[in-house]
Coordinates of all heavy atoms in Angstrom, one line a residue:
I1 N 114.3 87.8 109.8 CA 113.1 88.6 109.9 C 112.3 88.0 111.0 O 112.0 86.8 111.0 CB 112.4 88.7 108.5 CG1 113.2 89.4 107.5 CG2 111.0 89.4 108.7 CD1 112.6 89.6 106.2
K2 N 111.8 88.8 111.8 CA 111.0 88.4 113.0 C 109.6 87.8 112.8 O 109.1 87.3 113.6 CB 111.0 89.5 114.0 CG 110.1 90.7 113.6 CD 110.0 91.8 114.6 CE 109.2 92.9 114.1 NZ 109.1 94.0 115.1
Y3 N 109.2 87.9 111.5 CA 107.8 87.5 111.2 C 107.7 86.0 111.0 O 106.7 85.4 111.0 CB 107.3 88.3 110.0 CG 107.1 89.7 110.3 CD1 108.2 90.6 109.9 CD2 106.1 90.2 111.0 CE1 108.0 92.0 110.1 CE2 105.9 91.6 111.3 CZ 106.9 92.5 110.9 OH 106.8 93.8 111.1
H4 N 108.8 85.4 110.7 CA 108.9 83.9 110.3 C 109.1 83.1 111.6 O 109.8 83.6 112.5 CB 109.8 83.6 109.3 CG 109.5 84.1 107.9 ND1 108.5 83.5 107.2 CD2 110.0 85.1 107.2 CE1 108.4 84.1 106.0 NE2 109.3 85.1 106.0
E5 N 108.6 81.9 111.6 CA 108.8 81.0 112.8 C 110.0 80.1 112.6 O 110.6 79.6 113.5 CB 107.6 80.1 113.0 CG 106.3 81.0 113.3 CD 105.1 80.1 113.4 OE1 105.2 78.8 113.3 OE2 104.0 80.7 113.5
R6 N 110.4 79.9 111.3 CA 111.6 79.0 111.0 C 112.6 79.8 110.2 O 112.4 81.0 109.8 CB 111.1 77.8 110.2 CG 109.9 77.1 110.9 CD 110.1 75.8 111.7 NE 111.2 75.0 111.4 CZ 111.2 73.8 110.8 NH1 110.1 73.4 110.3 NH2 112.4 73.2 110.7
A7 N 113.6 79.1 109.6 CA 114.7 79.7 108.9 C 114.2 80.2 107.5 O 113.3 79.7 106.9 CB 115.7 78.6 108.7
L8 N 114.8 81.4 107.1 CA 114.5 82.0 105.8 C 115.3 81.1 104.7 O 116.4 80.7 104.9 CB 115.1 83.4 105.7 CG 114.3 84.4 106.6 CD1 115.0 85.8 106.4 CD2 112.9 84.5 106.1
R9 N 114.6 81.0 103.6 CA 115.2 80.3 102.4 C 115.4 81.2 101.3 O 116.3 81.0 100.4 CB 114.4 79.2 102.0 CG 114.3 78.0 102.9 CD 115.6 77.3 102.9 NE 115.7 76.3 104.0 CZ 116.7 75.6 104.1 NH1 117.8 75.6 103.4 NH2 116.7 74.7 105.2
S10 N 114.7 82.3 101.1 CA 114.8 83.2 100.0 C 114.2 84.6 100.4 O 113.2 84.7 101.1 CB 114.0 82.6 98.8 OG 114.0 83.4 97.7
V11 N 114.8 85.6 99.8 CA 114.4 87.0 99.9 C 114.5 87.6 98.6 O 115.5 87.4 97.8 CB 115.3 87.8 101.0 CG1 114.8 89.2 101.0 CG2 115.1 87.1 102.3
G12 N 113.5 88.5 98.2 CA 113.5 89.1 96.9 C 112.9 90.5 96.9 O 112.1 90.7 97.7
F13 N 113.3 91.2 95.9 CA 112.8 92.6 95.7 C 112.1 92.7 94.3 O 112.7 92.1 93.3 CB 113.8 93.7 95.8 CG 114.4 93.7 97.2 CD1 115.6 93.0 97.5 CD2 113.9 94.5 98.2 CE1 116.1 93.0 98.7 CE2 114.4 94.5 99.5 CZ 115.6 93.8 99.7
H14 N 111.0 93.3 94.2 CA 110.3 93.5 92.9 C 111.1 94.6 92.2 O 111.5 95.6 92.7 CB 108.8 93.9 93.1 CG 108.1 93.7 91.8 ND1 108.2 94.6 90.7 CD2 107.3 92.7 91.4 CE1 107.4 94.2 89.8 NE2 106.9 93.1 90.1
P15 N 111.4 94.4 90.8 CA 112.2 95.4 90.1 C 111.4 96.7 89.8 O 112.1 97.7 89.5 CB 112.6 94.6 88.8 CG 111.6 93.6 88.7 CD 111.2 93.2 90.1
R16 N 110.1 96.7 89.8 CA 109.3 97.9 89.4 C 108.5 98.4 90.5 O 108.4 99.6 90.7 CB 108.3 97.5 88.3 CG 107.5 98.6 87.8 CD 106.7 98.3 86.7 NE 107.5 98.1 85.5 CZ 107.1 97.8 84.3 NH1 105.8 97.5 84.1 NH2 107.8 97.7 83.3
Y17 N 108.0 97.6 91.4 CA 107.1 98.0 92.6 C 107.9 98.0 93.8 O 108.9 97.3 94.0 CB 105.9 97.1 92.7 CG 105.0 97.2 91.4 CD1 105.0 96.1 90.6 CD2 104.2 98.3 91.2 CE1 104.2 96.1 89.4 CE2 103.4 98.3 90.1 CZ 103.4 97.2 89.2 OH 102.6 97.3 88.1
P18 N 107.5 98.8 94.8 CA 108.2 98.9 96.1 C 107.8 97.7 97.0 O 107.3 97.8 98.1 CB 107.8 100.2 96.7 CG 106.4 100.4 96.2 CD 106.4 99.9 94.8
L19 N 108.0 96.5 96.5 CA 107.7 95.2 97.2 C 108.9 94.4 97.5 O 109.8 94.3 96.7 CB 106.7 94.4 96.4 CG 105.3 95.0 96.1 CD1 104.5 94.2 95.2 CD2 104.6 95.2 97.4
M20 N 108.8 93.8 98.7 CA 109.9 92.9 99.1 C 109.2 91.6 99.7 O 108.1 91.7 100.3 CB 110.7 93.5 100.2 CG 111.7 92.7 100.9 SD 112.5 93.6 102.2 CE 112.5 92.3 103.5
A21 N 109.8 90.5 99.5 CA 109.2 89.3 100.1 C 110.2 88.3 100.6 O 111.4 88.4 100.2 CB 108.4 88.5 99.0
S22 N 109.8 87.5 101.6 CA 110.8 86.5 102.2 C 110.0 85.2 102.3 O 108.9 85.2 102.7 CB 111.2 87.0 103.6 OG 110.1 87.2 104.5
A23 N 110.7 84.1 102.0 CA 110.1 82.8 102.1 C 110.9 82.0 103.1 O 112.1 82.2 103.3 CB 110.3 82.1 100.8
S24 N 110.1 81.1 103.8 CA 110.7 80.4 105.0 C 110.4 79.0 105.1 O 109.4 78.5 104.3 CB 110.2 81.1 106.2 OG 110.5 80.4 107.4
D25 N 111.0 78.3 105.9 CA 110.8 76.8 106.1 C 109.4 76.6 106.8 O 109.0 75.5 106.9 CB 111.9 76.2 106.9 CG 113.1 75.8 106.1 OD1 112.9 75.7 104.8 OD2 114.1 75.6 106.6
D26 N 108.8 77.7 107.3 CA 107.5 77.4 108.0 C 106.4 77.3 106.8 O 105.2 77.1 107.2 CB 107.1 78.5 109.0 CG 107.1 79.9 108.4 OD1 107.2 80.1 107.1 OD2 107.1 80.9 109.2
G27 N 106.8 77.5 105.6 CA 105.9 77.3 104.5 C 105.1 78.6 104.1 O 104.3 78.6 103.2
S28 N 105.5 79.7 104.7 CA 104.9 80.9 104.4 C 105.8 81.9 103.6 O 107.0 81.8 103.7 CB 104.3 81.6 105.7 OG 105.4 82.1 106.4
I29 N 105.2 82.9 102.9 CA 105.9 84.0 102.3 C 105.3 85.3 102.9 O 104.1 85.5 102.8 CB 105.7 83.9 100.8 CG1 106.2 82.6 100.2 CG2 106.4 85.1 100.1 CD1 106.0 82.3 98.8
H30 N 106.1 86.1 103.3 CA 105.7 87.4 103.8 C 106.0 88.5 102.8 O 107.2 88.5 102.4 CB 106.4 87.7 105.2 CG 105.9 86.9 106.3 ND1 105.0 87.3 107.2 CD2 106.1 85.6 106.6 CE1 104.7 86.4 108.1 NE2 105.4 85.3 107.7
V31 N 105.0 89.3 102.5 CA 105.2 90.4 101.5 C 105.2 91.7 102.2 O 104.4 91.9 103.1 CB 104.1 90.3 100.4 CG1 104.3 91.5 99.4 CG2 104.1 89.0 99.7
F32 N 106.1 92.5 101.9 CA 106.3 93.8 102.6 C 106.3 95.0 101.6 O 106.8 94.8 100.4 CB 107.6 93.9 103.4 CG 107.8 92.8 104.4 CD1 108.4 91.6 104.0 CD2 107.4 93.0 105.7 CE1 108.6 90.6 105.0 CE2 107.5 92.0 106.7 CZ 108.1 90.8 106.3
H33 N 105.8 96.1 102.0 CA 106.0 97.4 101.2 C 107.4 97.9 101.8 O 107.5 98.1 102.9 CB 104.9 98.4 101.4 CG 105.2 99.7 100.9 ND1 104.9 100.0 99.5 CD2 105.6 100.8 101.4 CE1 105.3 101.2 99.3 NE2 105.7 101.8 100.5
S34 N 108.3 98.2 100.9 CA 109.6 98.7 101.3 C 110.1 99.8 100.6 O 109.8 99.9 99.3 CB 110.6 97.5 101.3 OG 110.8 97.1 99.9
M35 N 110.7 100.8 101.2 CA 111.3 101.9 100.6 C 112.5 102.4 101.3 O 112.6 102.4 102.5 CB 110.2 103.1 100.6 CG 110.7 104.3 100.0 SD 109.4 105.6 100.0 CE 108.2 104.9 99.0
V36 N 113.6 102.6 100.5 CA 114.8 103.1 101.0 C 115.0 104.5 100.5 O 114.9 104.8 99.3 CB 116.0 102.2 100.5 CG1 117.3 102.7 101.0 CG2 115.8 100.8 101.0
Y37 N 115.3 105.4 101.4 CA 115.4 106.8 101.1 C 116.8 107.2 100.7 O 117.8 106.6 101.2 CB 114.9 107.7 102.3 CG 113.5 107.4 102.7 CD1 113.3 106.6 103.8 CD2 112.5 107.9 102.0 CE1 112.0 106.3 104.2 CE2 111.2 107.6 102.4 CZ 110.9 106.8 103.5 OH 109.6 106.5 103.9
S38 N 117.0 108.2 99.9 CA 118.3 108.7 99.5 C 119.0 109.3 100.7 O 120.3 109.4 100.6 CB 118.2 109.6 98.3 OG 117.4 110.8 98.6
D39 N 118.3 109.8 101.6 CA 118.9 110.4 102.8 C 119.3 109.2 103.8 O 118.4 108.6 104.3 CB 117.9 111.3 103.5 CG 118.4 111.9 104.8 OD1 119.7 111.8 105.0 OD2 117.7 112.6 105.5
L40 N 120.6 109.0 103.9 CA 121.0 107.8 104.6 C 120.8 108.0 106.1 O 120.9 107.0 106.9 CB 122.5 107.5 104.4 CG 122.9 107.2 102.9 CD1 124.4 107.1 102.8 CD2 122.1 106.0 102.5
M41 N 120.5 109.1 106.6 CA 120.2 109.3 108.0 C 118.7 108.9 108.4 O 118.4 108.8 109.5 CB 120.4 110.8 108.4 CG 121.9 111.3 108.2 SD 123.0 110.3 109.2 CE 122.6 110.8 110.8
R42 N 118.0 108.7 107.4 CA 116.6 108.3 107.6 C 116.4 106.7 107.4 O 117.0 106.1 106.5 CB 115.7 108.9 106.5 CG 114.3 108.9 106.7 CD 113.6 109.9 105.7 NE 112.1 109.8 105.9 CZ 111.3 110.3 105.0 NH1 111.7 111.0 104.0 NH2 110.0 110.1 105.2
N43 N 115.7 106.1 108.4 CA 115.5 104.7 108.4 C 114.7 104.2 107.2 O 113.8 104.9 106.8 CB 114.9 104.2 109.7 CG 115.9 104.3 110.9 OD1 117.1 104.2 110.7 ND2 115.3 104.5 112.0
P44 N 115.0 103.0 106.7 CA 114.1 102.5 105.6 C 112.8 102.2 106.1 O 112.6 101.9 107.3 CB 114.9 101.3 105.1 CG 115.9 100.9 106.2 CD 116.1 102.2 106.9
L45 N 111.8 102.3 105.2 CA 110.4 101.9 105.6 C 110.1 100.5 105.2 O 110.3 100.2 104.0 CB 109.5 102.9 104.9 CG 108.0 102.7 105.0 CD1 107.6 103.0 106.5 CD2 107.2 103.5 104.0
I46 N 109.6 99.7 106.1 CA 109.3 98.3 105.8 C 107.9 98.0 106.5 O 107.9 98.0 107.7 CB 110.4 97.2 106.3 CG1 111.7 97.5 105.6 CG2 109.8 95.9 106.0 CD1 112.8 96.7 106.0
V47 N 106.8 97.8 105.7 CA 105.5 97.6 106.2 C 105.0 96.3 105.8 O 105.0 96.0 104.6 CB 104.6 98.7 105.8 CG1 103.2 98.5 106.3 CG2 105.2 100.1 106.1
P48 N 104.6 95.4 106.7 CA 104.0 94.1 106.3 C 102.8 94.3 105.6 O 101.9 95.1 105.9 CB 103.7 93.4 107.7 CG 104.5 94.2 108.7 CD 104.7 95.5 108.2
V49 N 102.6 93.6 104.4 CA 101.3 93.8 103.6 C 100.5 92.5 103.7 O 99.3 92.5 103.9 CB 101.7 94.0 102.1 CG1 100.5 94.1 101.2 CG2 102.5 95.4 102.0
K50 N 101.1 91.4 103.5 CA 100.3 90.1 103.4 C 101.2 88.9 103.7 O 102.4 88.9 103.4 CB 99.8 90.0 101.9 CG 98.8 88.9 101.7 CD 98.3 88.9 100.3 CE 97.2 89.9 100.2 NZ 96.4 89.7 98.9
V51 N 100.5 87.8 104.2 CA 101.2 86.6 104.4 C 100.6 85.6 103.4 O 99.3 85.4 103.4 CB 101.0 86.1 105.9 CG1 101.6 84.7 106.1 CG2 101.6 87.0 106.8
L52 N 101.4 85.0 102.6 CA 100.9 84.0 101.6 C 101.3 82.6 102.1 O 102.4 82.3 102.6 CB 101.6 84.2 100.3 CG 101.5 85.6 99.7 CD1 102.4 85.8 98.5 CD2 100.1 86.0 99.4
R53 N 100.3 81.7 102.2 CA 100.5 80.3 102.5 C 100.0 79.4 101.4 O 99.2 79.7 100.6 CB 99.6 80.1 103.8 CG 100.0 81.0 104.9 CD 99.4 80.5 106.3 NE 99.6 81.5 107.3 CZ 100.6 81.7 108.0 NH1 101.6 81.0 107.8 NH2 100.6 82.7 109.0
G54 N 100.7 78.2 101.4 CA 100.3 77.3 100.3 C 101.2 76.1 100.3 O 100.8 75.1 99.7
H55 N 102.4 76.2 100.9 CA 103.3 75.1 100.9 C 103.3 74.4 102.2 O 103.2 75.1 103.3 CB 104.8 75.5 100.5 CG 104.9 76.1 99.2 ND1 104.9 75.2 98.1 CD2 105.1 77.3 98.7 CE1 105.1 76.0 97.0 NE2 105.2 77.3 97.3
S56 N 103.4 73.1 102.2 CA 103.5 72.4 103.5 C 104.8 71.9 103.7 O 105.6 71.7 102.8 CB 102.5 71.1 103.5 OG 102.8 70.3 102.4
A57 N 105.2 71.8 105.0 CA 106.6 71.4 105.4 C 106.9 69.9 105.1 O 106.0 69.1 105.4 CB 106.9 71.7 106.8
V58 N 108.0 69.5 104.5 CA 108.4 68.2 104.2 C 109.8 68.0 104.8 O 110.7 68.7 104.3 CB 108.4 67.9 102.7 CG1 108.9 66.5 102.5 CG2 107.0 68.0 102.1
K59 N 109.9 67.2 105.8 CA 111.2 66.9 106.5 C 111.9 68.3 107.0 O 113.1 68.5 106.8 CB 112.1 66.2 105.6 CG 111.7 64.8 105.2 CD 112.6 64.1 104.3 CE 112.1 62.7 103.9 NZ 113.0 62.0 103.0
G60 N 111.0 69.2 107.5 CA 111.5 70.4 108.1 C 111.8 71.5 107.1 O 112.2 72.6 107.4
L61 N 111.5 71.3 105.8 CA 111.7 72.3 104.7 C 110.3 72.8 104.2 O 109.4 71.9 104.0 CB 112.5 71.7 103.6 CG 113.9 71.2 103.9 CD1 114.5 70.6 102.6 CD2 114.8 72.4 104.3
G62 N 110.2 74.0 104.0 CA 108.9 74.6 103.6 C 109.0 75.2 102.2 O 109.3 74.5 101.2
T63 N 108.9 76.5 102.1 CA 109.1 77.2 100.9 C 110.6 77.4 100.6 O 111.3 78.0 101.3 CB 108.3 78.6 100.9 OG1 107.0 78.4 101.4 CG2 108.4 79.3 99.6
L64 N 111.0 76.9 99.5 CA 112.5 76.8 99.2 C 112.9 78.1 98.4 O 114.0 78.6 98.6 CB 112.8 75.6 98.4 CG 112.5 74.3 99.2 CD1 112.9 73.1 98.3 CD2 113.4 74.2 100.5
S65 N 112.1 78.6 97.5 CA 112.5 79.7 96.6 C 111.2 80.5 96.2 O 110.1 79.9 96.2 CB 113.1 79.1 95.4 OG 113.6 80.2 94.6
M66 N 111.5 81.7 95.9 CA 110.4 82.6 95.5 C 111.1 83.7 94.5 O 112.3 84.0 94.6 CB 109.7 83.3 96.5 CG 110.5 83.9 97.7 SD 110.7 85.7 97.9 CE 110.3 86.5 96.4
A67 N 110.3 84.1 93.6 CA 110.7 85.2 92.6 C 109.5 86.0 92.2 O 108.4 85.5 92.0 CB 111.4 84.5 91.4
F68 N 109.8 87.3 92.0 CA 108.8 88.2 91.5 C 108.7 88.2 90.0 O 109.8 88.0 89.3 CB 109.1 89.6 92.0 CG 108.6 89.9 93.3 CD1 109.6 90.0 94.4 CD2 107.2 90.1 93.7 CE1 109.1 90.3 95.7 CE2 106.9 90.4 94.9 CZ 107.9 90.5 95.9
H69 N 107.6 88.4 89.4 CA 107.5 88.5 87.9 C 108.1 89.9 87.6 O 108.0 90.9 88.4 CB 106.0 88.6 87.6 CG 105.8 88.6 86.1 ND1 105.8 89.8 85.4 CD2 105.5 87.6 85.2 CE1 105.5 89.6 84.1 NE2 105.4 88.3 84.0
P70 N 108.8 90.0 86.5 CA 109.5 91.3 86.2 C 108.7 92.5 85.9 O 109.1 93.6 86.3 CB 110.3 91.0 84.9 CG 109.8 89.7 84.4 CD 109.1 89.1 85.5
T71 N 107.5 92.4 85.5 CA 106.6 93.6 85.3 C 105.3 93.6 86.0 O 104.7 94.7 86.2 CB 106.3 93.7 83.7 OG1 105.6 92.5 83.3 CG2 107.6 93.9 82.9
Q72 N 104.8 92.5 86.5 CA 103.5 92.4 87.1 C 103.8 92.2 88.6 O 104.7 91.7 89.0 CB 102.6 91.2 86.6 CG 102.3 91.3 85.1 CD 101.4 92.5 84.9 OE1 100.5 92.9 85.7 NE2 101.7 93.2 83.8
P73 N 102.8 92.6 89.5 CA 102.9 92.3 90.9 C 102.5 90.9 91.3 O 101.6 90.6 92.0 CB 101.9 93.4 91.5 CG 100.9 93.6 90.5 CD 101.6 93.4 89.2
W74 N 103.2 89.9 90.6 CA 103.0 88.5 90.9 C 104.2 87.9 91.5 O 105.3 88.4 91.3 CB 102.7 87.8 89.6 CG 101.6 88.3 88.8 CD1 100.6 89.1 89.2 CD2 101.3 87.9 87.4 NE1 99.7 89.3 88.2 CE2 100.1 88.6 87.0 CE3 102.0 87.2 86.5 CZ2 99.5 88.4 85.8 CZ3 101.4 87.1 85.2 CH2 100.2 87.7 84.9
L75 N 104.0 86.8 92.3 CA 105.0 86.2 93.0 C 104.9 84.7 92.7 O 103.8 84.0 92.9 CB 105.0 86.5 94.5 CG 106.1 86.0 95.2 CD1 106.6 87.1 96.2 CD2 105.8 84.8 96.1
F76 N 106.1 84.1 92.3 CA 106.1 82.6 92.1 C 106.8 82.0 93.3 O 107.8 82.6 93.8 CB 106.9 82.3 90.8 CG 106.2 82.8 89.6 CD1 106.5 84.1 89.1 CD2 105.3 82.1 88.9 CE1 105.9 84.6 88.0 CE2 104.7 82.5 87.7 CZ 105.0 83.8 87.3
S77 N 106.4 80.8 93.7 CA 107.2 80.1 94.8 C 107.3 78.7 94.5 O 106.4 78.1 93.9 CB 106.5 80.4 96.2 OG 105.2 79.7 96.1
A78 N 108.3 78.1 95.0 CA 108.5 76.6 94.9 C 108.8 76.1 96.3 O 109.5 76.6 97.1 CB 109.8 76.3 94.0
G79 N 108.2 75.0 96.6 CA 108.3 74.4 97.9 C 108.9 72.9 98.0 O 108.9 72.3 96.9
A80 N 109.2 72.5 99.1 CA 109.7 71.2 99.3 C 108.6 70.1 99.1 O 109.0 68.9 98.9 CB 110.3 71.0 100.7
D81 N 107.4 70.5 99.1 CA 106.3 69.6 98.9 C 106.2 69.3 97.3 O 105.3 68.5 96.9 CB 105.0 70.2 99.3 CG 104.6 71.6 98.8 OD1 105.4 72.1 98.0 OD2 103.7 72.2 99.3
G82 N 107.0 69.9 96.5 CA 107.0 69.6 95.1 C 106.0 70.5 94.3 O 105.9 70.2 93.1
N83 N 105.5 71.5 94.9 CA 104.5 72.4 94.2 C 105.1 73.7 93.9 O 106.0 74.2 94.6 CB 103.3 72.5 95.1 CG 102.5 71.3 95.2 OD1 102.4 70.5 94.3 ND2 102.0 71.1 96.4
I84 N 104.6 74.3 92.8 CA 104.9 75.6 92.4 C 103.7 76.5 92.4 O 102.6 76.0 91.9 CB 105.6 75.7 91.0 CG1 106.9 75.0 91.0 CG2 105.8 77.2 90.5 CD1 107.5 74.8 89.6
H85 N 103.7 77.6 93.1 CA 102.5 78.4 93.2 C 102.7 79.8 92.5 O 103.9 80.3 92.6 CB 102.2 78.7 94.7 CG 101.6 77.5 95.4 ND1 100.4 76.9 95.2 CD2 102.3 76.6 96.2 CE1 100.3 75.9 96.0 NE2 101.5 75.6 96.6
L86 N 101.6 80.4 92.0 CA 101.6 81.7 91.5 C 100.6 82.5 92.3 O 99.4 82.2 92.4 CB 101.3 81.7 90.0 CG 100.9 83.1 89.5 CD1 102.0 84.1 89.5 CD2 100.4 83.0 88.0
F87 N 101.1 83.5 93.0 CA 100.3 84.4 93.7 C 100.1 85.7 93.0 O 101.0 86.4 92.6 CB 100.9 84.7 95.2 CG 101.0 83.5 96.0 CD1 102.3 82.9 96.1 CD2 100.0 83.0 96.7 CE1 102.5 81.7 96.8 CE2 100.2 81.8 97.5 CZ 101.3 81.2 97.5
Q88 N 98.8 86.1 92.7 CA 98.5 87.2 91.8 C 97.9 88.4 92.6 O 98.1 89.5 92.1 CB 97.6 86.8 90.7 CG 98.2 85.9 89.7 CD 97.2 85.4 88.6 OE1 96.1 85.2 88.9 NE2 97.7 85.3 87.4
D89 N 97.4 88.2 93.7 CA 96.7 89.3 94.5 C 97.6 89.8 95.5 O 97.4 89.5 96.7 CB 95.4 88.8 95.0 CG 94.3 88.8 94.0 OD1 94.3 89.5 93.0 OD2 93.3 88.0 94.2
L90 N 98.6 90.5 95.2 CA 99.5 91.0 96.2 C 99.0 92.4 96.5 O 99.0 93.2 97.1 CB 101.0 91.1 95.7 CG 101.6 89.8 95.2 CD1 103.0 90.0 94.8 CD2 101.6 88.8 96.4

């Protein structure tokens, strides 16, 4: 994904909301509104929504993993800095 400065470590989709997120070694998580249409001739819609920051890079590694809450628009992330973050205002 062109929005990150370093390598991607994790990508996930929310099971209920049209949200997608990607985590990277630059320590950031990018949240996107995403929609795939049933008409395969139509391009998918991917709109940047928010950039979440909170993890610092340790030995070139930033945000290692992320996961969406199954029912709420919340995102959990784990970083190489040893911290786990909960982002609630997506």
Side-chain angles (χ1 to χ4, degrees):
I1 294 181
K2 66 181 181 179
Y3 296 100
H4 289 288
E5 297 173 8
R6 312 258 336 254
L8 288 179
R9 290 289 170 180
S10 181
V11 176
F13 297 91
H14 196 282
R16 181 177 285 180
Y17 298 104
L19 296 174
M20 169 186 140
S22 61
S24 171
D25 277 343
D26 60 11
S28 68
I29 299 170
H30 290 256
V31 180
F32 303 92
H33 171 83
S34 60
M35 184 178 290
V36 177
Y37 301 101
S38 58
D39 179 9
L40 297 178
M41 297 303 292
R42 194 169 176 189
N43 288 332
L45 174 70
I46 300 174
V47 179
V49 175
K50 191 178 273 195
V51 177
L52 306 173
R53 301 190 191 280
H55 294 288
S56 57
V58 175
K59 297 182 182 177
L61 300 174
T63 308
L64 299 177
S65 182
M66 46 109 340
F68 281 105
H69 187 276
T71 58
Q72 298 296 322
W74 299 347
L75 189 135
F76 299 90
S77 67
D81 55 4
N83 293 321
I84 296 173
H85 293 280
L86 166 62
F87 297 98
Q88 295 176 319
D89 282 334
L90 301 181

